[in-house]
Amino acid sequence: MSDNGQHFVADHVAGLPRSGIRDFFSIVAAMPQAISLGIGEPDFVTPWHIREAAIFALEKGKTSYTDNLGLIRLRREISSYVENNFGISYHPETDVLVAVGVSEALDIALRAVLNPGDKVLYHEPCYVSYSPSIVLAHAQPIAVGTSAEDQFGIDPERVEAAWEPGCKVLMLNFPTNPTGGVTERAKLERLAKFAIEKDLLVISDEIYSELTFEGEHTSIASLPGMQERTIFLHGFSKAFAMTGFRIGYACGPKPLIEAMMKVHQYSMLCAPILSQEAAIEALKNGAPAVAKMKEQYHRRRDLIVRRFNEAGLDCHSPKGSFYAFPSIQSTGLDSLNFCKGLLDEEEVAVVPGTAFGPSGAGFARASFSTSYERIIEATDRVERYVEKLSKRA
Amino acid sequence: MSSVLQLLLEGEHLNTAQMAQVLGMSESEIEAELTRLKAEEIFLGWRPVLNPDRAQENVVRAVIEVKISPERDGGFDRLATRIARFDAVESCFLMSGGYDLLVFAVGKDLREVASFVSERLSTVEGVLSTATHFMLRAYKEQGYLLLSPSEREDKPAVSP
Ligand SMILES: Cc1ncc(COP(=O)(O)O)c(C=O)c1O
């Protein structure tokens, strides 16, 4: 065959779309002078005391495998961190698994619980991996749209309407990448009731929870009756600015963690020990650095939201994360053309909302994980671009 | 703490127009706040932070431990202020421990600093002794690391 091996690729993998972000990335990569608001990670470097702990661990010769579940010292720290900050109590010996980022935790959670053909409800626009991860686990993704009117919080009625026989899992991510949406407690309570009624397992990705600017973050796992049917996912990438360490964790009932452990054990063995040591330091002493970064994100959010609205793009104020998700509908362009035009004409990169699923149409994601000066310059250019568009119309 | 002050402390260099943008205030409000902070002597002023190894080739810096005798009225204040007024003195602090004042001094060469110490500082009445240490190399200057390799070069411009 002369297709270079293409015919060997599994059908369900061949059928996956390339990430819209990757396509856009190749364009932006060729324009080093562009201002990028497309970065889905902190602009801060990992706080020095955490990096220093990793160096110290390396000096001490910590270069081995660890327990499959992760270092018990780390699992104890995770257990008390989750108890103190989320009010959920997990046993470090049996209910906590340390993974290579929330990315891996999510993947093994899905693979551990899904049978071929099972259905998974998730809200959209959402993190780019959700739907592909479900498909890779041979299950069927069912998207539930969220909308600007609800500031991209989830509407339980829409979840209930989307439910169909065969649904096994409900995936949640609040605060949400890319919208910054959160869901208030009352709605989570209703969702919880529905999950119990339909016997759904909830997988809750709370990776942005520390970056909640208004109100208190509530984990659905902390609601009555939910801990036993929730896999709680969290990590260090965002709040602790540790993306490159590739470390995160899952907490849940023992049988589920055990099932995930099997997948993890045979595919990953364990998370890197240096990252685990760094994570221990982060949980023990990282709170002041997290608070300081959060304060800056908060000011940047206020700035970027105000500037987008002044520029003529309707933009709700995201209650968490470091993403603004302005509507670009007033320009009359679709997401991709808006973003391509902005890049071509003004050299500012934002990510088309459609990269996060069809319900992101009409929006763009702008990360405010960058300096004030760049935010000001970028939004000035957006304003100029929107003005030009309205004159052309 | 005032939001203007917090923003200044974050360390990103912004002009008043940019500060106004960030804080959602008008430029004149920012100016007024800066004026108030100065009037109340909370905010003392601007100075550039330079890399001494690169920018100030002809500068020698020293820290000087100074013992002085306190006075019946005002303790160390009068003498400390008197010493602090010399142009060669960049900073001057009262310390606990084995000496009284820690003086940060600059001069264009070793001799200039030495003559400041021997002819000016030690001859002030009330100065009992001095111990001068010359600085050899700076690694961090007022919050700026000087030898750090540039970080984050590999970060992709767009990521999920
Ligand atoms: C919602 C969400 N979940 C998970 C991840 C991946 O996190 P990690 O670095 O822990 O794999 C991201 C990263 O962008 C994210 O936005």
Side-chain angles (χ1 to χ4, degrees), chain A residues 21 25 28 36 38-43 51 127-128 177 296 299 303 306-307 365 371-373 376, chain B residues 3 6-7 10 12-14 17-25 151-152 155-160:
Chain A
I21 287 210
F25 168 63
V28 181
S36 179
I39 296 169
E41 62 178 312
D43 60 322
R51 288 189 274 160
Y127 181 48
V128 294
N177 174 8
Q296 287 195 37
R299 266 199 280 276
L303 169 65
R306 178 161 26 80
R307 289 297 293 127
R365 189 192 75 176
S371 68
Y372 298 125
E373 192 175 7
I376 291 171
Chain B
S3 57
Q6 274 179 359
L7 192 58
E10 264 182 34
E12 187 178 332
H13 180 67
L14 301 171
Q18 290 169 318
M19 287 170 68
Q21 289 261 9
V22 172
L23 296 176
M25 295 160 72
E151 282 149 339
R152 287 271 147 151
K155 186 159 61 167
V158 175
S159 51

Side-chain angles (χ1 to χ4, degrees), chain B residues 76 93-102:
Chain B
F76 296 103
F93 306 96
L94 180 65
M95 312 295 287
S96 68
Y99 54 91
D100 304 308
L101 298 179
L102 187 62

Side-chain angles (χ1 to χ4, degrees), chain A residues 40 100-104 106 127 130 173 175-177 205 207-208 234-238 243 246-248 323 365, chain B residues 160:
Chain A
V100 180
V102 169
S103 303
E104 194 226 346
L106 181 72
Y127 181 48
Y130 284 4
N173 168 227
T176 309
N177 174 8
D205 173 352
I207 193 164
Y208 293 99
H234 201 2
F236 297 86
S237 287
K238 311 298 171 168
T243 44
R246 307 306 307 120
I247 187 150
Y323 307 108
R365 189 192 75 176

